[in-house]
Amino acid sequence: MVIIMLIGIKNVSKLVGISIISCCAILVCTMFLNFYLDVRSIESEITSELSLIFYNAQVSTAKVVCLVSGGCLLMTSVVMLMFYIKHYIDTHKKELGILKALGYSNLKIAKSFWVFGISAFIGTVIGFGGAFLLMPKFYALQNKDKMLPEIMIHFHPTILLYFVILPTVGFSLLAIIYAWYKLKRPVLLLLKDSLQVSSKIYKYKRNNERATLFVEDLKSSTLKSKKALVFFIMFASFCFSAMTQMSFSVKDLSSEMMGAMILIIGLVLAFTTLFLAITTVINGNTKTIAMMRVFGYPHKECCKAILGGYRPMSYIGFIIGTVYQYALLRIMVDILFRDLEGVPSYQFDFPVMLVSLVIFILVYEGLMFVYSDKIRKISVKEIMIE
């Protein structure tokens, strides 16, 4: 198809974020749902009341984890897919406008966007396969006290259908429908070069007060025009906060394997999402940065205008993640395991939260420093001759 010829290695590599998020979602959901279906098969073999209470707690936990984790990551994957399609169309407007001018319909061009669904397929397959590799250890830990009869691992085709096949088809269809919607623009609008640089860029040294106002206005407009990126940065902070804090608590409530798995998944999601979001922010504002440097703005002001507005959003995401992990663990301990003896009570862990916050500040500000250096290296000459 025509659109495939326009998609290069760089465009495909950006979809790795969807693959990683899909992989994490399917890995967790497959393990817990497969365990749920297998443990249901031994319900008739349970004889003691204590074992029945433990059984009900395990079944409820599997449901909660699948719904909460799977739903959250699914929503994020959908938002990321729609963002990348919009970003691709915006950065290839001229090529797509030429195709429309040659007589290609919106639907014909949009049909070729099914390739964006491949990212979901790759992620779901890896997650599905990885889940079965971890299942023997996972099943053993779930029943480490032998309160239930032996639980055998079975392959359930319905899980393959719902977690691999249907998401791939669904993401491909969503890509086609959303691309068709975004392509409903006049040909002339697609062919027009829309350089989004404000005409009110004041000379920094001569109009210091106006220049400061311009930086604040640009910082605000960058956030408003990139709402999806605000979501991704908040989501990255949310993942880091929730997963790092939850991993320490789950290690005490469940097992070290669960704690390590939650920590690894959280860090992978956080760094992947944050890396893709900040990279897109900088790449989407290279011309603005070049013009600011031409007008005498120092490096610090350029970084403040482009990246400064995202800092409060990241800390809001950290706070939301802290509240989320506390609420989820309280539900699991106080509701799902309330009738089970030997389960330790859960209280909010301030020391862990403070450690997580300090690490987050060091990591986030360190990344901002690295990316600010990337802004410094943007060549004004290369940008101006494009």
Side-chain angles (χ1 to χ4, degrees), residues 96-252:
L96 296 173
I98 292 173
L99 291 178
K100 291 184 66 173
L102 291 175
Y104 288 91
S105 65
N106 292 334
L107 182 59
K108 189 170 184 179
I109 299 175
K111 284 180 180 179
S112 300
F113 276 83
W114 70 267
V115 297
F116 282 77
I118 294 177
S119 59
F121 174 74
I122 294 173
T124 55
V125 167
I126 295 175
F128 188 80
F132 274 90
L133 291 176
L134 294 174
M135 272 184 199
K137 182 69 173 177
F138 176 71
Y139 275 48
L141 289 173
Q142 292 296 95
N143 194 28
K144 62 181 179 181
D145 296 326
K146 304 297 181 183
M147 297 184 66
L148 298 174
E150 185 179 359
I151 307 170
M152 301 298 295
I153 300 175
H154 297 90
F155 175 78
H156 301 278
T158 53
I159 297 181
L160 178 66
L161 173 65
Y162 288 119
F163 286 173
V164 177
I165 299 175
L166 290 183
T168 301
V169 175
F171 270 71
S172 296
L173 289 175
L174 178 63
I176 293 172
I177 294 171
Y178 188 68
W180 170 78
Y181 172 76
K182 298 302 293 184
L183 285 168
K184 294 171 63 177
R185 307 182 194 177
V187 174
L188 291 179
L189 186 61
L190 289 172
L191 293 174
K192 183 180 178 181
D193 184 16
S194 55
L195 176 59
Q196 300 295 330
V197 179
S198 174
S199 59
K200 296 182 179 180
I201 302 182
Y202 302 100
K203 288 285 186 179
Y204 186 78
K205 295 181 179 178
R206 296 180 182 177
N207 304 280
N208 207 334
E209 184 176 347
R210 287 186 176 183
T212 302
L213 292 175
F214 167 75
V215 170
E216 294 298 325
D217 181 63
L218 179 60
K219 183 167 66 174
S220 176
S221 63
T222 301
L223 290 178
K224 292 178 181 179
S225 63
K226 305 290 184 182
K227 295 183 178 64
L229 294 178
V230 173
F231 170 81
F232 292 146
I233 288 179
M234 291 182 67
F235 177 74
S237 306
F238 168 88
C239 288
F240 186 95
S241 171
M243 298 304 191
T244 53
Q245 296 181 63
M246 193 183 297
S247 63
F248 288 98
S249 300
V250 167
K251 182 178 65 175
D252 299 329

Side-chain angles (χ1 to χ4, degrees), residues 284-352:
N285 289 277
T286 52
K287 293 181 180 180
T288 301
I289 295 170
M291 292 300 297
M292 289 180 68
R293 289 171 62 180
V294 168
F295 277 84
Y297 283 78
H299 173 68
K300 182 179 179 180
E301 295 298 323
C302 294
C303 295
K304 181 180 178 181
I306 303 303
L307 299 176
Y310 294 98
R311 182 173 283 105
M313 300 297 104
S314 66
Y315 288 106
I316 291 174
F318 185 91
I319 295 172
I320 296 174
T322 300
V323 175
Y324 166 83
Q325 65 89 24
Y326 174 73
L328 182 60
L329 289 177
R330 286 304 298 263
I331 289 173
M332 293 179 65
V333 173
D334 296 346
I335 298 178
L336 301 183
F337 291 94
R338 66 180 182 275
D339 298 326
L340 195 63
E341 297 180 359
V343 177
S345 60
Y346 172 71
Q347 300 295 330
F348 185 77
D349 198 330
F350 280 100
V352 170

Side-chain angles (χ1 to χ4, degrees), residues 6 10 21-22 51 63 80 83 109 137 182 191 231 251 255 258 269 287 292 313 342:
L6 298 177
K10 290 184 178 180
I21 294 177
S22 301
S51 296
K63 289 180 180 179
M80 186 171 286
F83 168 77
I109 299 175
K137 182 69 173 177
K182 298 302 293 184
L191 293 174
F231 170 81
K251 182 178 65 175
S255 65
M258 286 296 297
L269 287 174
K287 293 181 180 180
M292 289 180 68
M313 300 297 104

